[in-house]
Amino acid sequence: MNYKISLNILLVLISGYFAEIIAGPIPENHPPVNSLSAGMGLCGVANHNSPVTIFWNPSGLNRMEQMGLDFTVAAPTVESPGSWSFLLANASEAQDSRLGFGMVRHHATSQDHTYKSFATILPFSHSFMTGKVPFGFSLKLISESIDENDWKFGMSVDIGAMWSHPSGFKFGVTTANIGGSNLQAFNNKSWFGVYWDNNISPFSFSSQFRAERPFDSDYINHNFGVGVNYKLIDLPFDEQRVLEASEIRSGWIKVDSRTYYTFGFDFGQTKNDTYLGYAVIIDAKSWSGRTHYITYGYRYAAEKHKRSHGGTPFSSIDSDR
């Protein structure tokens, strides 16, 4: 098992190095998250059991039912993957505290600038109230270069919390880039998210909105995302695991005056618990505004944990729960 994990990490790091050689910028409001989050309307604040929680909400580590590793490239065309992310989430048997690791490289354009940024994310999550309300924070080592000028370096902190209801709803809240350095690519943002799934329905739903002005309906209506995921096939793999062989998803994003549509899918493999995912974000007004996401992921589910829907291709079934 350690050999397979090490090999997957080596492959994604090599891929990330070569991705920079043919870099192309993407819109600044398209972060290089994994194909699950991108395909569901760039939602992730309340999504559980996926390494993308490292990017959106560090407290979600305590919802992980499996060790997860994702490597994603994001690009305006398939030939120019200038933005990428590497996310590693732990799922140890110690339920009260979890650690993870992330690296995010973003090559993006805005109305005024082109910038390159890089962040090393060190998340920690601790669970209170018997695991019902995990809290988490991430220390981020950040850097950026605006319009090809000199690189600036600094640090910031993300904090978040997530609450799970027996009905299948998860509620998450997070604030990113608190304090630390005043770098333009890491401005302060707050999000509130809702996620729903259960073990019966093949559907799962996710939504989130900017939470800096929670009582300003006009602001929320111009800063939100929604998404739905559908699991097509569910095949037994062995006594503990189930192969979710394919999933499809779509979403809708509103950022200021711009509207985006998202589509995506995943395919799993039984031999080494890996999967391949794809998503695309399309500007409603311009086909040239699209961003492609390709994710290579690895999952290893602990025997004691329970399978749940949520867009992740592999989980396990716990007969005691």
Side-chain angles (χ1 to χ4, degrees), residues 1-12 67 69 86 88 298 300:
M1 179 56 60
N2 291 331
Y3 167 77
K4 288 195 286 187
I5 295 174
S6 300
L7 180 60
N8 278 275
I9 293 176
L10 179 61
L11 288 174
V12 297
M67 191 282 287
L69 180 156
F86 172 77
L88 177 63
Y298 177 84
Y300 178 71

PDB file of all heavy atoms in Angstrom, residues 1-12 67 69 86 88 298 300:
ATOM      1  N   MET A   1       0.812  -1.201   0.000  1.00  0.00           N
ATOM      2  CA  MET A   1       0.000   0.000   0.000  1.00  0.00           C
ATOM      3  C   MET A   1       0.855   1.266   0.000  1.00  0.00           C
ATOM      4  O   MET A   1       0.604   2.228  -0.717  1.00  0.00           O
ATOM      5  CB  MET A   1      -0.936  -0.007   1.214  1.00  0.00           C
ATOM      6  CG  MET A   1      -1.812   1.229   1.315  1.00  0.00           C
ATOM      7  SD  MET A   1      -2.782   1.495  -0.184  1.00  0.00           S
ATOM      8  CE  MET A   1      -3.714  -0.046  -0.184  1.00  0.00           C
ATOM      9  N   ASN A   2       1.946   1.281   0.854  1.00  0.00           N
ATOM     10  CA  ASN A   2       2.831   2.441   0.885  1.00  0.00           C
ATOM     11  C   ASN A   2       3.502   2.658  -0.460  1.00  0.00           C
ATOM     12  O   ASN A   2       3.764   3.791  -0.861  1.00  0.00           O
ATOM     13  CB  ASN A   2       3.883   2.269   1.979  1.00  0.00           C
ATOM     14  CG  ASN A   2       3.278   2.339   3.376  1.00  0.00           C
ATOM     15  OD1 ASN A   2       2.262   3.004   3.566  1.00  0.00           O
ATOM     16  ND2 ASN A   2       3.894   1.669   4.325  1.00  0.00           N
ATOM     17  N   TYR A   3       3.811   1.547  -1.150  1.00  0.00           N
ATOM     18  CA  TYR A   3       4.437   1.666  -2.471  1.00  0.00           C
ATOM     19  C   TYR A   3       3.499   2.360  -3.445  1.00  0.00           C
ATOM     20  O   TYR A   3       3.914   3.241  -4.202  1.00  0.00           O
ATOM     21  CB  TYR A   3       4.803   0.274  -2.986  1.00  0.00           C
ATOM     22  CG  TYR A   3       5.164   0.254  -4.454  1.00  0.00           C
ATOM     23  CD1 TYR A   3       6.405   0.705  -4.887  1.00  0.00           C
ATOM     24  CD2 TYR A   3       4.248  -0.209  -5.400  1.00  0.00           C
ATOM     25  CE1 TYR A   3       6.740   0.702  -6.227  1.00  0.00           C
ATOM     26  CE2 TYR A   3       4.569  -0.216  -6.744  1.00  0.00           C
ATOM     27  CZ  TYR A   3       5.820   0.233  -7.154  1.00  0.00           C
ATOM     28  OH  TYR A   3       6.134   0.238  -8.485  1.00  0.00           O
ATOM     29  N   LYS A   4       2.227   1.984  -3.448  1.00  0.00           N
ATOM     30  CA  LYS A   4       1.278   2.596  -4.375  1.00  0.00           C
ATOM     31  C   LYS A   4       1.071   4.074  -4.062  1.00  0.00           C
ATOM     32  O   LYS A   4       0.975   4.901  -4.963  1.00  0.00           O
ATOM     33  CB  LYS A   4      -0.063   1.845  -4.329  1.00  0.00           C
ATOM     34  CG  LYS A   4      -0.003   0.481  -4.989  1.00  0.00           C
ATOM     35  CD  LYS A   4      -1.381  -0.076  -5.256  1.00  0.00           C
ATOM     36  CE  LYS A   4      -2.045  -0.544  -4.008  1.00  0.00           C
ATOM     37  NZ  LYS A   4      -3.327  -1.247  -4.293  1.00  0.00           N
ATOM     38  N   ILE A   5       1.019   4.424  -2.778  1.00  0.00           N
ATOM     39  CA  ILE A   5       0.858   5.818  -2.413  1.00  0.00           C
ATOM     40  C   ILE A   5       2.064   6.631  -2.866  1.00  0.00           C
ATOM     41  O   ILE A   5       1.940   7.705  -3.450  1.00  0.00           O
ATOM     42  CB  ILE A   5       0.647   5.951  -0.895  1.00  0.00           C
ATOM     43  CG1 ILE A   5      -0.665   5.283  -0.475  1.00  0.00           C
ATOM     44  CG2 ILE A   5       0.647   7.424  -0.470  1.00  0.00           C
ATOM     45  CD1 ILE A   5      -0.896   5.248   1.023  1.00  0.00           C
ATOM     46  N   SER A   6       3.259   6.117  -2.615  1.00  0.00           N
ATOM     47  CA  SER A   6       4.481   6.829  -3.000  1.00  0.00           C
ATOM     48  C   SER A   6       4.571   6.988  -4.509  1.00  0.00           C
ATOM     49  O   SER A   6       4.979   8.044  -5.013  1.00  0.00           O
ATOM     50  CB  SER A   6       5.707   6.074  -2.478  1.00  0.00           C
ATOM     51  OG  SER A   6       5.680   5.967  -1.075  1.00  0.00           O
ATOM     52  N   LEU A   7       4.189   5.952  -5.253  1.00  0.00           N
ATOM     53  CA  LEU A   7       4.238   6.021  -6.706  1.00  0.00           C
ATOM     54  C   LEU A   7       3.264   7.071  -7.234  1.00  0.00           C
ATOM     55  O   LEU A   7       3.595   7.837  -8.152  1.00  0.00           O
ATOM     56  CB  LEU A   7       3.916   4.652  -7.313  1.00  0.00           C
ATOM     57  CG  LEU A   7       3.926   4.569  -8.846  1.00  0.00           C
ATOM     58  CD1 LEU A   7       5.302   4.951  -9.381  1.00  0.00           C
ATOM     59  CD2 LEU A   7       3.530   3.181  -9.315  1.00  0.00           C
ATOM     60  N   ASN A   8       2.066   7.131  -6.663  1.00  0.00           N
ATOM     61  CA  ASN A   8       1.089   8.128  -7.102  1.00  0.00           C
ATOM     62  C   ASN A   8       1.577   9.543  -6.818  1.00  0.00           C
ATOM     63  O   ASN A   8       1.413  10.445  -7.640  1.00  0.00           O
ATOM     64  CB  ASN A   8      -0.260   7.888  -6.413  1.00  0.00           C
ATOM     65  CG  ASN A   8      -1.078   6.802  -7.088  1.00  0.00           C
ATOM     66  OD1 ASN A   8      -1.781   7.068  -8.046  1.00  0.00           O
ATOM     67  ND2 ASN A   8      -0.972   5.579  -6.593  1.00  0.00           N
ATOM     68  N   ILE A   9       2.186   9.767  -5.650  1.00  0.00           N
ATOM     69  CA  ILE A   9       2.708  11.088  -5.332  1.00  0.00           C
ATOM     70  C   ILE A   9       3.810  11.481  -6.308  1.00  0.00           C
ATOM     71  O   ILE A   9       3.859  12.611  -6.803  1.00  0.00           O
ATOM     72  CB  ILE A   9       3.237  11.121  -3.884  1.00  0.00           C
ATOM     73  CG1 ILE A   9       2.070  10.969  -2.899  1.00  0.00           C
ATOM     74  CG2 ILE A   9       4.006  12.412  -3.617  1.00  0.00           C
ATOM     75  CD1 ILE A   9       2.503  10.893  -1.453  1.00  0.00           C
ATOM     76  N   LEU A  10       4.713  10.537  -6.628  1.00  0.00           N
ATOM     77  CA  LEU A  10       5.795  10.815  -7.568  1.00  0.00           C
ATOM     78  C   LEU A  10       5.254  11.175  -8.941  1.00  0.00           C
ATOM     79  O   LEU A  10       5.725  12.123  -9.590  1.00  0.00           O
ATOM     80  CB  LEU A  10       6.724   9.603  -7.664  1.00  0.00           C
ATOM     81  CG  LEU A  10       7.908   9.738  -8.641  1.00  0.00           C
ATOM     82  CD1 LEU A  10       8.805  10.891  -8.210  1.00  0.00           C
ATOM     83  CD2 LEU A  10       8.680   8.440  -8.716  1.00  0.00           C
ATOM     84  N   LEU A  11       4.250  10.447  -9.409  1.00  0.00           N
ATOM     85  CA  LEU A  11       3.690  10.707 -10.738  1.00  0.00           C
ATOM     86  C   LEU A  11       3.062  12.098 -10.825  1.00  0.00           C
ATOM     87  O   LEU A  11       3.240  12.808 -11.815  1.00  0.00           O
ATOM     88  CB  LEU A  11       2.647   9.637 -11.079  1.00  0.00           C
ATOM     89  CG  LEU A  11       3.182   8.238 -11.399  1.00  0.00           C
ATOM     90  CD1 LEU A  11       2.027   7.256 -11.566  1.00  0.00           C
ATOM     91  CD2 LEU A  11       4.033   8.265 -12.667  1.00  0.00           C
ATOM     92  N   VAL A  12       2.327  12.496  -9.798  1.00  0.00           N
ATOM     93  CA  VAL A  12       1.667  13.791  -9.879  1.00  0.00           C
ATOM     94  C   VAL A  12       2.663  14.941  -9.744  1.00  0.00           C
ATOM     95  O   VAL A  12       2.498  15.992 -10.349  1.00  0.00           O
ATOM     96  CB  VAL A  12       0.539  13.920  -8.826  1.00  0.00           C
ATOM     97  CG1 VAL A  12      -0.540  12.906  -9.078  1.00  0.00           C
ATOM     98  CG2 VAL A  12       1.083  13.798  -7.409  1.00  0.00           C
ATOM     99  N   MET A  67      -8.373   7.893   2.939  1.00  0.00           N
ATOM    100  CA  MET A  67      -7.224   8.683   2.540  1.00  0.00           C
ATOM    101  C   MET A  67      -7.419   9.081   1.088  1.00  0.00           C
ATOM    102  O   MET A  67      -7.805   8.264   0.254  1.00  0.00           O
ATOM    103  CB  MET A  67      -5.943   7.862   2.692  1.00  0.00           C
ATOM    104  CG  MET A  67      -4.655   8.695   2.560  1.00  0.00           C
ATOM    105  SD  MET A  67      -4.203   9.109   0.858  1.00  0.00           S
ATOM    106  CE  MET A  67      -3.637   7.523   0.288  1.00  0.00           C
ATOM    107  N   LEU A  69      -5.971  11.442  -2.385  1.00  0.00           N
ATOM    108  CA  LEU A  69      -4.923  12.196  -3.064  1.00  0.00           C
ATOM    109  C   LEU A  69      -5.450  12.609  -4.427  1.00  0.00           C
ATOM    110  O   LEU A  69      -5.966  11.784  -5.176  1.00  0.00           O
ATOM    111  CB  LEU A  69      -3.665  11.335  -3.208  1.00  0.00           C
ATOM    112  CG  LEU A  69      -2.428  11.912  -3.894  1.00  0.00           C
ATOM    113  CD1 LEU A  69      -1.195  11.179  -3.409  1.00  0.00           C
ATOM    114  CD2 LEU A  69      -2.513  11.757  -5.421  1.00  0.00           C
ATOM    115  N   PHE A  86      -2.267  20.000  -5.977  1.00  0.00           N
ATOM    116  CA  PHE A  86      -1.962  18.694  -5.405  1.00  0.00           C
ATOM    117  C   PHE A  86      -2.506  18.684  -3.988  1.00  0.00           C
ATOM    118  O   PHE A  86      -2.099  19.504  -3.154  1.00  0.00           O
ATOM    119  CB  PHE A  86      -0.449  18.442  -5.404  1.00  0.00           C
ATOM    120  CG  PHE A  86      -0.038  17.202  -4.665  1.00  0.00           C
ATOM    121  CD1 PHE A  86      -0.209  15.947  -5.241  1.00  0.00           C
ATOM    122  CD2 PHE A  86       0.512  17.275  -3.395  1.00  0.00           C
ATOM    123  CE1 PHE A  86       0.158  14.795  -4.558  1.00  0.00           C
ATOM    124  CE2 PHE A  86       0.879  16.131  -2.707  1.00  0.00           C
ATOM    125  CZ  PHE A  86       0.709  14.890  -3.294  1.00  0.00           C
ATOM    126  N   LEU A  88      -3.621  16.294  -0.576  1.00  0.00           N
ATOM    127  CA  LEU A  88      -3.472  15.013   0.110  1.00  0.00           C
ATOM    128  C   LEU A  88      -4.171  15.100   1.457  1.00  0.00           C
ATOM    129  O   LEU A  88      -3.807  15.916   2.308  1.00  0.00           O
ATOM    130  CB  LEU A  88      -1.990  14.677   0.312  1.00  0.00           C
ATOM    131  CG  LEU A  88      -1.671  13.399   1.085  1.00  0.00           C
ATOM    132  CD1 LEU A  88      -2.199  12.170   0.357  1.00  0.00           C
ATOM    133  CD2 LEU A  88      -0.169  13.288   1.319  1.00  0.00           C
ATOM    134  N   TYR A 298      -6.445   9.236  -6.189  1.00  0.00           N
ATOM    135  CA  TYR A 298      -6.228   7.940  -5.533  1.00  0.00           C
ATOM    136  C   TYR A 298      -6.983   7.941  -4.217  1.00  0.00           C
ATOM    137  O   TYR A 298      -6.979   8.933  -3.479  1.00  0.00           O
ATOM    138  CB  TYR A 298      -4.736   7.724  -5.284  1.00  0.00           C
ATOM    139  CG  TYR A 298      -4.426   6.444  -4.536  1.00  0.00           C
ATOM    140  CD1 TYR A 298      -4.307   5.232  -5.212  1.00  0.00           C
ATOM    141  CD2 TYR A 298      -4.264   6.454  -3.150  1.00  0.00           C
ATOM    142  CE1 TYR A 298      -4.032   4.069  -4.515  1.00  0.00           C
ATOM    143  CE2 TYR A 298      -3.981   5.293  -2.458  1.00  0.00           C
ATOM    144  CZ  TYR A 298      -3.862   4.102  -3.136  1.00  0.00           C
ATOM    145  OH  TYR A 298      -3.599   2.947  -2.460  1.00  0.00           O
ATOM    146  N   TYR A 300      -7.932   5.439  -0.696  1.00  0.00           N
ATOM    147  CA  TYR A 300      -7.793   4.205   0.080  1.00  0.00           C
ATOM    148  C   TYR A 300      -8.707   4.307   1.282  1.00  0.00           C
ATOM    149  O   TYR A 300      -8.558   5.192   2.128  1.00  0.00           O
ATOM    150  CB  TYR A 300      -6.353   3.987   0.535  1.00  0.00           C
ATOM    151  CG  TYR A 300      -6.207   2.748   1.386  1.00  0.00           C
ATOM    152  CD1 TYR A 300      -6.311   1.478   0.827  1.00  0.00           C
ATOM    153  CD2 TYR A 300      -6.000   2.863   2.753  1.00  0.00           C
ATOM    154  CE1 TYR A 300      -6.207   0.348   1.603  1.00  0.00           C
ATOM    155  CE2 TYR A 300      -5.890   1.729   3.538  1.00  0.00           C
ATOM    156  CZ  TYR A 300      -5.991   0.467   2.966  1.00  0.00           C
ATOM    157  OH  TYR A 300      -5.891  -0.655   3.737  1.00  0.00           O
TER     158      TYR A 300
END
